[in-house]
Amino acid sequence: METPLLSGVLSTPEDYEPVKTFKEAKSVFWVESVKMWRIAAPIAFNMLCQYGINSVTIIFVGHIGDFELSAVSISLSVIGIFTFGFMLGMGSALETLCGQAFGAGQVHMLGVYMQRSWIVLTAFCFVLLPVYLFASPILKLLGQKDSVADLAGWFTILTIPQLFSLAFNFPSSKFLQAQSKVGALAWIGFVGLLMHILMLWVFIYPLGWNLIGAALAYNITSWGVSIAQVVYCVGWCKDGWHGLTWAAFNELWAFVRLSLASAVMLCLEVWYMMSLIILTGHLADAVTAVDSLSICMNFNGWEAMLFIGINAAISVRVSNELGLGRPRATKYAVIVTVSQCLVIGLFFMVVIMITRDYFAVIFTNSTSLQKSVAKLAYILGVTMVSNSVQPVISGVAIGAGWQALVAYINVGCYYVFGLPLGYLLGYKANLGVMGLWGGMLVGTFLQTLLLLYVLYKTNWNSEVEQTSERMRKWGGQEIKVEKIETGE
């Protein structure tokens, strides 16, 4: 049980007192900020390293040839992102369970949940295997040229071992995140990136293995990172790990349902932006449109890694506080994190607006393409603001166990409203990529507004009670909580 952190704000070890003065609000803001960034910074760094592994692979392959560059880029950005998003979503169920169990003091259950996730995610690797085996015809159906699709499909098959590494990578990382032991994740990710660069150079240049060497380095790095994380969990986390147990096979179906809800929630978001790239490829001036959009998406992707770290951090904070039976602390953590992220998003938007005529120079010497990117800079800036708040709310949803509700909201806002609106503006109104992106961005804003409304109406006392029931049902003990006043 925690000790009071703020004199006059925390009257008991259980929860905050209502904040009534500016001084108390400032104190809560500072303490919650420190708690969040201690978790978010290492996770964001780890995600940047993982993002860097893909980027570095593409950079090295680009020096083999343009044809190889196109094939590998498509393999990693379409098939790779599809499976990465699905497996990350499946693993995110562990954020809910491990975070709440840790907060409730049921630390011994974390190892059981991690093993259960290993079983479920490995099984779903076999479900996803046909996507890898038939990547070539799938890419052809999506409109890729036969020659590029064939080479991309061949490279995708070579990276099948990397798919199975994700079944151990994500559960072990969520296991560590729930306990705020995220420093190890940052170091493992950093060393993994350095080793990957070294292996790519050795396999491609001195050994001359080209694409086979790139795929081999990709597989070895992925498994090396996963094994290192598992070894750290088993060797240095004795409170949460008590050895292999048959209890991991209990409540498997309930775990599958929660994992699938998490996967659907996340994948609907990942695939939404993938569909923007696919639709842009069918516009009249497709080459310029896709190139300018790709440059914007690259900047957007680097920003997204920061907010994925914050997403994981607020998920840990929410699940831990609910597990501790502290509804008001949960509420304050959400308010502080959302407000901070909005400010960060506005900062990135201002930077993009100021540099809109220049930042494309990093990627291209083409004056016409630079002008095309400058036109998209306005909508890129607005997207960065949207991306600052939306992932945080999704993290709250994961921490609280609202995955199914968010999945329904995503379907309605993204695919019933946003995607058709983007199609109408892009194709029927002849607004091109601006229309496509703008319409889909409206869908994202609608989703964000609905999730903000859900947060506003949330009864955190009720969420604590549901957490208590979940822990009791899946092996924990009931959480005792003193309810807060209505409206607090």
Side-chain angles (χ1 to χ4, degrees):
M1 191 67 68
E2 293 188 9
T3 56
L5 293 173
L6 298 171
S7 176
V9 178
L10 279 176
S11 65
T12 70
E14 283 75 27
D15 205 353
Y16 287 110
E17 283 288 349
V19 172
K20 297 180 179 179
T21 67
F22 176 75
K23 182 179 179 181
E24 291 176 348
K26 187 171 67 172
S27 297
V28 170
F29 189 89
W30 172 255
V31 170
E32 287 298 331
S33 297
V34 170
K35 286 183 177 181
M36 188 271 289
W37 283 107
R38 279 178 177 170
I39 304 171
I43 296 175
F45 182 76
N46 176 263
M47 293 305 300
L48 287 169
C49 289
Q50 291 198 34
Y51 193 75
I53 288 172
N54 275 26
S55 297
V56 168
T57 303
I58 292 172
I59 290 170
F60 269 85
V61 169
H63 290 282
I64 298 174
D66 292 342
F67 180 60
E68 289 82 358
L69 174 63
S70 297
V72 172
S73 297
I74 290 170
S75 172
L76 296 181
S77 63
V78 178
I79 304 299
I81 287 179
F82 171 85
T83 54
F84 183 91
F86 188 86
M87 294 294 285
L88 177 60
M90 293 286 290
S92 294
L94 223 57
E95 290 185 33
T96 304
L97 297 174
C98 284
Q100 293 179 0
F102 182 78
Q106 305 302 311
V107 185
H108 66 280
M109 290 302 300
L110 270 63
V112 178
Y113 292 149
M114 180 170 65
Q115 293 174 60
R116 197 171 294 169
S117 189
W118 289 345
I119 296 167
V120 172
L121 266 65
T122 300
F124 272 88
C125 283
F126 287 98
V127 175
L128 292 172
L129 196 55
V131 176
Y132 276 63
L133 295 175
F134 298 102
S136 180
I138 290 172
L139 291 172
K140 290 176 183 177
L141 284 175
L142 293 176
Q144 299 299 321
K145 293 181 179 179
D146 288 357
S147 56
V148 174
D150 287 336
L151 184 59
W154 175 74
F155 184 82
T156 301
I157 291 174
L158 294 179
T159 61
I160 286 176
Q162 183 268 345
L163 167 64
F164 283 86
S165 75
L166 300 179
F168 296 90
N169 183 309
F170 293 136
S172 58
S173 64
K174 305 307 178 186
F175 173 90
L176 294 171
Q177 288 174 25
Q179 304 170 76
S180 299
K181 295 181 178 180
V182 290
L185 290 176
W187 279 109
I188 291 171
F190 180 62
V191 173
L193 177 59
L194 293 180
M195 294 301 298
H196 185 61
I197 294 172
L198 177 61
M199 284 189 291
L200 281 171
W201 182 83
V202 171
F203 292 165
I204 292 176
Y205 293 111
L207 297 180
W209 292 349
N210 294 329
L211 290 189
I212 293 177
L216 182 60
Y218 194 57
N219 292 331
I220 293 174
T221 300
S222 299
W223 270 105
V225 168
S226 298
I227 292 171
Q229 290 179 182
V230 171
V231 168
Y232 184 82
C233 292
V234 173
W236 282 270
C237 301
K238 297 300 184 182
D239 290 341
W241 177 262
H242 295 275
L244 299 173
T245 173
W246 289 108
F249 291 91
N250 297 337
E251 297 289 346
L252 271 181
W253 178 237
F255 194 88
V256 168
R257 290 202 306 270
L258 182 61
S259 297
L260 280 175
S262 300
V264 171
M265 184 193 85
L266 185 62
C267 285
L268 287 173
E269 297 175 6
V270 173
W271 299 340
Y272 189 53
M273 296 312 296
M274 271 179 53
S275 63
L276 171 60
I277 297 173
I278 292 171
L279 288 173
T280 301
H282 295 281
L283 291 171
D285 190 10
V287 174
T288 301
V290 170
D291 286 348
S292 58
L293 180 62
S294 297
I295 291 172
C296 291
M297 287 295 102
N298 194 285
F299 279 95
N300 189 56
W302 284 104
E303 186 219 29
M305 293 304 106
L306 169 64
F307 289 107
I308 286 176
I310 299 176
N311 168 292
I314 189 59
S315 174
V316 171
R317 293 288 301 120
V318 168
S319 58
N320 283 178
E321 295 296 355
L322 289 177
L324 279 165
R326 295 170 37 149
R328 193 179 288 115
T330 308
K331 179 180 178 180
Y332 290 168
V334 172
I335 293 172
V336 169
T337 304
V338 170
S339 60
Q340 276 197 30
C341 289
L342 179 60
V343 172
I344 295 172
L346 291 170
F347 169 77
F348 281 123
M349 181 183 74
V350 171
V351 171
I352 289 296
M353 294 297 100
I354 293 174
T355 62
R356 63 183 180 276
D357 295 323
Y358 311 105
F359 68 80
V361 175
I362 299 172
F363 294 91
T364 179
N365 294 320
S366 170
T367 304
S368 61
L369 186 55
Q370 291 173 17
K371 291 180 179 179
S372 179
V373 171
K375 292 179 181 177
L376 292 177
Y378 296 99
I379 197 167
L380 172 61
V382 176
T383 301
M384 286 187 159
V385 176
S386 173
N387 284 350
S388 68
V389 176
Q390 189 273 336
V392 177
I393 304 174
S394 294
V396 175
I398 292 171
W402 302 340
Q403 287 93 331
L405 171 64
V406 177
Y408 286 121
I409 292 175
N410 286 355
V411 169
C413 295
Y414 289 164
Y415 298 95
V416 176
F417 181 75
L419 197 58
L421 178 61
Y423 178 83
L424 290 173
L425 293 176
Y427 286 91
K428 302 302 180 181
N430 295 318
L431 295 178
V433 66
M434 284 285 288
L436 281 170
W437 195 351
M440 294 175 69
L441 186 59
V442 172
T444 302
F445 270 107
L446 177 60
Q447 182 244 25
T448 302
L449 289 174
L450 287 176
L451 289 178
L452 285 172
Y453 178 75
V454 170
L455 285 181
Y456 174 73
K457 299 294 290 184
T458 296
N459 183 328
W460 292 107
N461 286 320
S462 176
E463 294 300 322
V464 168
E465 292 171 359
Q466 291 181 38
T467 298
S468 175
E469 174 61 23
R470 188 179 293 117
M471 293 299 97
R472 183 197 62 77
K473 178 182 176 183
W474 287 10
Q477 298 174 355
E478 190 167 355
I479 303 163
K480 295 182 180 179
V481 58
E482 184 177 336
K483 291 189 178 182
I484 62 176
E485 298 92 336
T486 303
E488 292 295 341

